[in-house]
Amino acid sequence: MGIVAHYYMDVELQGVLTAVQKEQQLTSNKKNPTVAIADSLAMGDYAVKMCEEGAEAIACLGVDFMSESVATIMARNGFGHVPVYRLNANPIGCSLAESAERESYRAWLNTAKNDASALHVVYINTSLETKAVSTSIVPTITCTSSNVLATILQASSQIPDLKILYGPDTYMGDNLVTMIDSILEHGKDGQCAAGEEPWDDARIARDLHPAHDTASLKRLRDSIDVYPSGNCVVHHMFGAEVVSAVKRNYDDAYVTAHLEVPGEMFEIAMEKSLADKGVVGSTSDILKFISRKVAEAAEDNATECRRLKFILGTEAGMVTSIVKSVREILGRTGNDKIEAEIVFPVSSDAVMAADGSTDQSTGGLAIVPGVAGGEGCSTAGGCATCPFMKMNDLDALNDVVDMVMKQKANGGAGAEAAELKAFLPPNRVQGKMIGGVSAVELGSEPILFMRQFMQEKCLPEALVKKINGGI
């Protein structure tokens, strides 16, 4: 049985999975691991590799749209017969994905019908139903936080006067516009720090896209229409209070920010990134940036101790993969002079007064971690953690694995076989038709367009034809 887990899983669960990975590397002769921790897109790729190695079932540790996406990618690669199991029989929702399932989202998409050429760039963190309905209204391609900028740059260069609708994540869409604005402001005649290379036409063509310049970036910025009412409850926490704390206490730190965070946090990281003191992007981008900075410091062979500080502008579960990478780098280089401090920005509600601050249980502290309405990290206040992701835990994984093993022992029959049906991904579009076309086919199309774009670095001809009015 294969296990694919998202970066945002509980720290304890990730620790166990990482230990299993290490054990497999030492004892297994398989080419690919049967346990993987990754972002939402890579989870599907790992699942396919596990199936190629003989996995008879996949446990998907994430939210519902992730298990749905993993199952779709597996089916497209010839493994539709391999079951994908969630860790909870109840729905594992996502506030962002659900924001694209409202009537208001469909109404927003319908505004593009009056445009000569329009493209809907939809975040992959949405349901298959959202992708199917979107495709039936306007030509659609999915994107990830890693490739969204490349997608809109290529689309606007490939199709003149293209209108781009981005959704459902409002923060991410607004941040893309902010990113373009920041590049334009730091142009040839713009504001640049001493020693900073300006974003003139030559640099835009070199570092962004060879077919773009200042004029084309302005046209692109003006062509983007962002859905106004979608966000992730976790990244929404990185608001004004957190930003003030970062500016006040951590001006010397590297700042990382996921594209889904509010604009204030994004702008700090964006400004830092222009001087290579921060990064904006996906979970993978954040992990790569921190790993690169630690590696550069470790390979410097400095004789004095040095502590690198990183503001983690995304879900707290990312720390497990970061710690794993940092330890591997320091172990490989043999440098014991470098330390990496990962700072979790929190709101004031992240701490609570302790009853009797002299009590040994609190170490004599007047305040301790934990919100008044609960404990530790939560969306009620504290470091950013997703309550939906935390519906996946070690006990639930053990239960699902146990049921799968008993089902196999019973030849695919028994009570476990019936019970496991509740753990399958949602199938709201299975067997449905939209405009005479299979909803599954319509929902898969944007994902396939993205896959082709990632391979060929240009929009697929079939998508271009649809945008230009073809069938």
Side-chain angles (χ1 to χ4, degrees):
M1 184 173 185
I3 300 172
V4 291
H6 193 268
Y7 283 130
Y8 292 170
M9 287 299 101
D10 177 77
V11 172
E12 178 190 21
L13 179 54
Q14 286 199 53
V16 172
L17 295 178
T18 300
V20 173
Q21 282 181 322
K22 289 183 177 179
E23 181 67 20
Q24 287 184 345
Q25 290 172 356
L26 295 174
T27 61
S28 175
N29 58 2
K30 290 183 179 294
K31 181 179 179 181
N32 297 300
T34 55
V35 175
I37 303 172
D39 59 27
S40 55
L41 179 63
M43 287 168 69
D45 295 332
Y46 278 116
V48 169
K49 292 177 181 177
M50 291 173 190
C51 291
E52 291 172 346
E53 291 276 357
E56 297 177 358
I58 300 292
C60 180
L61 283 57
V63 294
D64 282 349
F65 74 76
M66 293 179 183
S67 61
E68 195 178 46
S69 178
V70 167
T72 300
I73 292 171
M74 286 168 52
R76 285 288 176 176
N77 284 271
F79 296 104
H81 61 286
V82 178
V84 175
Y85 296 115
R86 303 173 303 123
L87 295 198
N88 201 300
N90 297 313
I92 307 177
C94 169
S95 60
L96 177 60
E98 289 164 7
S99 67
E101 295 169 7
R102 304 172 188 147
E103 285 298 326
S104 59
Y105 196 81
R106 300 179 187 187
W108 172 71
L109 288 176
N110 273 302
T111 63
K113 286 186 174 181
N114 298 323
D115 293 292
S117 57
L119 173 65
H120 175 219
V121 180
V122 63
Y123 197 18
I124 195 169
N125 292 3
T126 48
S127 68
L128 198 64
E129 182 180 36
T130 290
K131 296 178 180 73
V133 171
S134 299
T135 299
S136 71
I137 297 173
V138 61
T140 299
I141 185 172
T142 57
C143 72
T144 68
S145 48
S146 296
N147 66 26
V148 59
L149 180 60
T151 301
I152 64 174
L153 285 168
Q154 178 59 32
S156 61
S157 69
Q158 200 169 335
I159 304 175
D161 302 318
L162 177 68
K163 178 178 180 178
I164 296 175
L165 294 92
Y166 176 80
D169 195 303
T170 305
Y171 287 142
M172 185 181 291
D174 288 343
N175 288 339
L176 287 169
V177 175
T178 297
M179 183 186 296
I180 296 172
D181 276 335
S182 181
I183 290 171
L184 293 172
E185 289 171 3
H186 289 76
K188 181 180 179 181
D189 301 317
Q191 301 175 353
C192 293
E196 181 183 332
E197 183 182 2
W199 280 94
D200 54 16
D201 288 349
R203 186 179 180 188
I204 289 171
R206 184 192 72 209
D207 294 344
L208 273 185
H209 194 283
H212 276 284
D213 55 23
T214 301
S216 67
L217 281 187
K218 289 180 180 178
R219 289 194 299 271
L220 170 58
R221 176 197 59 192
D222 296 339
S223 73
I224 300 175
D225 182 1
V226 178
Y227 179 64
S229 305
N231 66 64
C232 163
V233 294
V234 176
H235 291 104
H236 182 65
M237 294 175 65
F238 293 90
E241 184 180 1
V242 167
V243 168
S244 296
V246 170
K247 288 181 176 179
R248 183 173 62 252
N249 301 320
Y250 295 96
D251 186 59
D252 61 335
Y254 294 105
V255 179
T256 72
H258 196 279
L259 279 171
E260 294 181 36
V261 302
E264 303 100 325
M265 184 71 180
F266 179 84
E267 288 172 10
I268 295 178
M270 181 67 208
E271 192 66 28
K272 290 262 190 177
S273 73
L274 295 174
D276 200 29
K277 294 181 179 179
V279 66
V280 294
S282 66
T283 50
S284 296
D285 293 329
I286 291 173
L287 179 59
K288 289 175 183 176
F289 174 80
I290 294 176
S291 300
R292 176 169 64 85
K293 285 299 178 182
V294 171
E296 289 174 355
E299 293 166 0
D300 191 35
N301 294 321
T303 57
E304 296 183 357
C305 292
R306 183 181 174 194
R307 170 172 288 196
L308 308 179
K309 295 181 181 179
F310 299 93
I311 303 296
L312 185 63
T314 189
E315 217 271 0
M318 270 296 295
V319 73
T320 306
S321 295
I322 293 171
V323 169
K324 178 176 180 287
S325 177
V326 170
R327 283 178 172 172
E328 288 175 351
I329 292 169
L330 297 183
R332 185 183 70 246
T333 59
N335 192 328
D336 60 357
K337 302 293 184 181
I338 301 298
E339 296 180 351
E341 178 182 350
I342 309 301
V343 181
F344 297 93
V346 297
S347 68
S348 58
D349 292 333
V351 294
M352 59 183 293
D355 293 332
S357 59
T358 58
D359 192 310
Q360 287 187 347
S361 65
T362 65
L365 297 175
I367 58 173
V368 295
V371 295
E375 326 180 343
C377 295
S378 79
T379 53
C383 55
T385 184
C386 176
F388 305 110
M389 289 288 189
K390 299 312 181 278
M391 290 175 70
N392 299 267
D393 59 38
L394 196 54
D395 288 338
L397 177 59
N398 285 330
D399 289 343
V400 169
V401 172
D402 186 52
M403 284 189 287
V404 170
M405 292 177 67
K406 287 181 178 178
Q407 179 197 37
K408 183 177 180 180
N410 293 331
E416 289 77 19
E419 191 174 354
L420 277 169
K421 290 181 179 179
F423 291 82
L424 294 170
N427 61 350
R428 290 178 295 179
V429 298
Q430 196 69 40
K432 293 184 179 180
M433 306 290 285
I434 300 178
V437 181
S438 163
V440 173
E441 291 296 317
L442 286 174
S444 302
E445 183 180 87
I447 301 174
L448 297 178
F449 282 153
M450 179 187 69
R451 292 279 185 176
Q452 192 171 342
F453 164 70
M454 293 173 68
Q455 292 175 353
E456 301 177 2
K457 307 304 179 186
C458 64
L459 296 189
E461 290 185 12
L463 177 57
V464 174
K465 184 177 179 180
K466 292 185 70 171
I467 294 171
N468 291 329
I471 299 176

